[in-house]
């Protein structure tokens, strides 16, 4: 079967599954399941290792892919963010399509769980190797190997993809992973969005990777872009959280906004030799509430020509 045939088969299968859920008469006022159109999910294991399962969520545009293929927005924390990104892409991408900008695929990487987050797995997959790091962390290189060597080929088997317009988004630990990917394999993606990156992790070990990156900039760096976002109120406790001096001290030491802004300024100072860097602080948002705004901005980045 050709690639076009595979794309058509996967989409037709998903559409048929959605139709089956709604077949038959429905009485007025009878509740029915709400489904997102043009979405599928499938499970994969990294390297065939049953101890490393992933759940992949995908959504595709209403329109046929252009000759060069669809741009792709890859997201971490897929269990919690996929729906937000899919709806943002439907709205923002629809406006773009009206002026000749093709909408994009959304590929979200999650875990086989009904929970919003698998904290142990993301703590391993999203953190880079670092001296003295706690057990169960430092698996970012293996996770990046999975994305590059297994996930991307599977996505390209199912959909027509524009390899020259691939964006990676992550929030918190996921934002830390985005920086690690930029600093160690910047050729893997063209656009990087690090939302509220946990630069503080392991005594800011990511800054050593930044130093090595800037000391020997790879040629691809000059053609890459990085958006760093953060919530203006990252140091504040979420509404309703009981007072906890220890937690408040950890937030203060994390310096979320300062660390993010300073990193963006250093990388921007590289000029044309380095990536094009932008920084956004979302007014009134804390570490959790900022996610929808950051995802919406990532969609805009993925669609940009």
């Amino acid at each position: 079967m050709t690639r076009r045939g595979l794309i058509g088969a996967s989409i037709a299968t998903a559409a048929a599954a959605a139709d089956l859920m709604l077949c038959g008469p429905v009485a007025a006022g009878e509740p029915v399941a709400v489904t997102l159109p043009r979405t599928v999910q499938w499970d994969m294991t990294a390297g065939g290792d049953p101890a490393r399962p992933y759940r992949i969520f995908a959504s595709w545009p209403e329109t046929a892919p252009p000759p060069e293929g669809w741009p792709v927005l890859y997201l971490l924390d897929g269990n919690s963010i996929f729906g937000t990104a899919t709806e943002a892409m439907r709205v923002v991408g629809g406006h773009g399509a009206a002026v000749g900008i093709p909408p994009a695929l959304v590929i979200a990487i999650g875990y086989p769980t009904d929970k919003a987050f698998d904290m142990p797995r993301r703590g391993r997959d999203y953190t880079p190797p670092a001296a003295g790091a706690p057990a169960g962390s430092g698996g970012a290189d293996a996770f990046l190997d999975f994305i590059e060597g297994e996930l991307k080929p599977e996505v390209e088997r199912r959909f027509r993809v524009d390899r020259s317009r691939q964006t990676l988004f992550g929030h918190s630990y996921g934002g830390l992973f985005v920086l690690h990917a930029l600093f160690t394999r910047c050729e893997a993606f063209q656009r990087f969005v690090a939302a509220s990156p946990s630069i503080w992790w392991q005594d800011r070990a990511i800054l050593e990777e930044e130093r090595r990156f800037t000391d020997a900039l790879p040629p691809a760096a000059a053609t890459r872009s990085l958006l760093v976002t953060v919530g203006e109120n990252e140091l504040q406790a979420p509404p309703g959280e009981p007072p906890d001096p220890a937690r408040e001290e950890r937030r203060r030491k994390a310096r979320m906004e300062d660390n993010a802004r300073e990193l963006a300024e250093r990388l921007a100072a590289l000029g044309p030799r380095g990536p094009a860097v932008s920084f956004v602080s979302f007014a009134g948002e804390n570490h959790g509430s900022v996610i929808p705004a950051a995802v919406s901005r990532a969609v805009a980045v993925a669609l940009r020509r």
Side-chain angles (χ1 to χ4, degrees):
M1 183 179 292
T2 64
R3 176 176 293 181
R4 181 186 296 273
L6 286 166
I7 295 169
S10 65
I11 292 175
T13 300
D19 289 343
L20 283 173
M21 295 184 68
L22 299 177
C23 65
V26 178
E30 181 180 341
V32 296
V34 175
T35 61
L36 292 174
R38 299 180 305 284
T39 61
V40 292
Q41 69 179 44
W42 68 88
D43 289 351
M44 300 178 66
T45 56
D49 182 356
R52 297 180 61 203
Y54 295 96
R55 178 154 294 161
I56 310 303
F57 306 85
S59 65
W60 58 89
E62 295 181 44
T63 58
E68 67 275 16
W70 282 312
V72 189
L73 172 59
Y74 285 92
L75 302 156
L76 307 185
D77 286 322
N79 300 72
S80 63
I81 293 178
F82 175 66
T84 301
T86 293
E87 284 304 292
M89 186 64 73
R90 182 178 67 86
V91 175
V92 178
H95 288 299
V99 293
I101 300 174
L105 286 170
V106 174
I107 303 294
I109 310 167
Y111 302 101
T113 176
D114 291 332
K115 297 180 179 179
F117 301 97
D118 186 329
M119 301 304 286
R121 290 290 307 281
R122 72 191 299 272
R124 178 179 68 181
D125 286 342
Y126 298 174
T127 54
S137 66
D141 286 329
F143 183 47
L144 196 47
D145 286 341
F146 164 72
I147 294 173
E148 286 295 289
E150 299 180 66
L151 177 58
K152 282 187 176 182
E154 179 63 18
V155 169
E156 292 179 12
R157 187 183 73 81
R158 293 171 181 259
F159 303 100
R160 183 180 295 165
V161 166
D162 183 353
R163 293 183 180 180
S164 70
R165 294 178 64 192
Q166 299 183 99
T167 301
L168 178 64
F169 169 89
H171 170 263
S172 195
Y173 270 21
L176 178 69
F177 177 83
V178 169
L179 294 177
H180 173 73
L182 172 65
F183 294 152
T184 62
R185 296 190 223 182
C186 76
E187 71 284 352
F189 299 88
Q190 290 73 43
R191 301 164 188 184
F192 299 79
V193 183
S196 303
S198 298
I199 295 171
W200 56 266
W201 183 80
Q202 198 59 23
D203 197 25
R204 302 198 299 173
I206 192 67
L207 301 190
E208 176 59 25
E209 292 189 358
E210 179 198 352
R211 184 191 63 78
R212 293 195 296 267
F213 173 73
T214 57
D215 283 351
L217 282 170
T223 63
R224 293 331 191 225
S225 69
L226 169 67
L227 169 62
V228 181
T229 73
V230 71
E232 178 188 53
N233 296 336
E234 299 254 359
L235 296 181
Q236 297 180 13
E241 181 180 278
D244 185 333
R247 187 183 292 119
E248 291 167 7
E249 177 64 10
R250 287 196 297 273
R251 286 197 186 99
R252 186 188 66 79
K253 289 183 177 180
R255 300 180 72 250
M256 292 295 295
E257 183 170 14
D258 290 342
N259 277 336
R261 187 187 303 275
E262 290 164 7
L263 179 137
E265 289 174 350
R266 288 193 302 272
L267 293 176
L270 296 171
R273 298 183 303 117
V277 181
S278 53
F279 174 82
V280 176
S281 178
F282 290 104
E285 305 293 353
N286 60 39
H287 191 67
S289 69
V290 77
I291 293 175
V295 169
S296 180
R297 193 62 62 94
V299 166
V301 169
L303 294 175
R304 188 179 63 229
R305 284 226 180 257

